Structure formats: C-alpha cells, structure tokens
Amino acid sequence: MPVWVEAGLWGSVAGSTLVLGAAVAWMVPVPRRVVAAVMAFGSGVLISALAFDLVEEAEAGGGLAATVIGLGLGATAYVGANVVLDRRGARHRKRSGDEQASEDEQPGSGAAIAVGALLDGIPESVVLGLSLLGGGGVGVPVLAAIAISNLPEGLSSAAGMKRNGRTARYVFGVWIGIAVASGIAGALGCLLLQDASPEAIAVITALAGGAILAMVIDTMIPEAVDETHLYTGLVATLGFVAAFAIHRA
C-alpha cells in the first residue's frame, strides 16, 4: 500500500471519532460538566503530543530556527483565520450550550461553523500524514492524541449545534465531511512532502503544531473552564500524563 494512501486511511480513522462524539451528543443528553471534563482531558492529551512528539520531532529534523518559525506561522495563521470566522458567527463552535449563534441570529453562521470545524481538524491530519514519512509507520502517540481529543470536540460542538436548532443533516454532514477531509489532508500532507527536505518537513510539522496549540487554547480550554472551573487543570493534567505514558510505551 502506498504510504500516502495509508496516511489518508489513518487520517480518516482519527477523524471518525468526531462523528462518534457527534452521534453520542445527538442521541444522549450528556451533561455539560461531563462534556467539559472530557474536553479538558483532550486538551491535555494534545498539549502532551505537541510537546513530546511534534515539536521535538520538528527540532530534531530541521533545527531550532525552522521549528520556531513554523510554530509562529502556524499560530498566526490559525488565529487570523479564527478572527475572520469569529465575526461570521463561529466563535463558540465548540461550545455545548446556547452560546453558538443560530442561523436566525446570524445568517451564514452555519457555514462559518462548518469552515471553523474544518480549520480545527486539518492541521492534525497533516501532522499524522507526515508522521509516516520516516518509514516507521504511523506515529501512535500522535494518532491516539488526535483520536482522543476529537471525541470531546465532536461531542461538545454537536451538542451546541443541536441546542441551537441545527438539523441532523447539517450536524452529521459537517462531521462526516470533516472526517473525509481529514483523510484527504493526511494523504496530501504525505504525498506532497515525501521528497521534501528535513527543514521543510520540520517547518510544516511545527506550523501544524502551532495551529493546534492555538486551537486548544482558543476553543477547547474555554469550554472546559466554563463548567469544570477549578478542576480543569487537574483533568487536563491527567490527559497530559495519559498521552505521555503512551509516548513512552
């Protein structure tokens, strides 16, 4: 099997937990505090994967300068795009309560939320595809981190969508579409960069890492803090430890 096809399959697998989370939220009234706690756990998992896998790998392959540049560019690009989407109604796209804008309140917010969800998921899938370029198979810690963190993202966002009058067709159309796009992004990330220099791969890896870090802080942690309050740090630390244990194992 070509490595880029494998990257696409793993990207789809990781993205499928978004659909799973959305399905749970649609069928079961999950308490907001539980959603927030799982979101805090997922935040810790992603931060751990960034620290011990993505950034470390980027620095080892391309050097400190390439890594720092990539992190800065990724965070800047994500925040810039997020600001634009924020103004179009996607500010609270990961919130499970009434914070999300409905189509009546802000026309076009449905499309903005969908684009925002895509923005959140693509960097993770690109990183997953790049993890296959070394020939050692998929990066298990990164795969686990993405899959674990996607579950509360889909859960929380879909709960908010349902609460604000979005239809099942819209909700599952968004998350199935993101899962498919995740597979495509993973395949393209691997296919387009398979002959790239270590420095270029380091920059792209760090760029995606910067975008992921900005996403965690801007969209995941606020939902967690709103409900778990003083316990957010503890739950996030448990997620961090769990991902670190996977990394070491």
Side-chain angles (χ1 to χ4, degrees), residues 113-132:
I113 290 171
V115 173
L118 183 64
L119 175 69
D120 297 338
I122 293 303
E124 299 170 345
S125 301
V126 170
V127 163
L128 197 57
L130 292 177
S131 73
L132 287 159

Side-chain angles (χ1 to χ4, degrees), residues 78 81-95 99-102 106-120 157 161 166 170 218-219:
Y78 179 88
N82 207 34
V83 167
V84 174
L85 291 169
D86 177 280
R87 294 170 180 168
R88 296 179 179 274
R91 174 182 297 183
H92 300 301
R93 60 183 176 273
K94 281 191 171 66
R95 299 300 185 93
E99 299 90 348
Q100 286 187 28
S102 68
Q106 186 165 357
S109 59
I113 290 171
V115 173
L118 183 64
L119 175 69
D120 297 338
S157 188
M161 291 174 182
R166 309 288 180 189
Y170 171 86
D218 285 353
T219 65

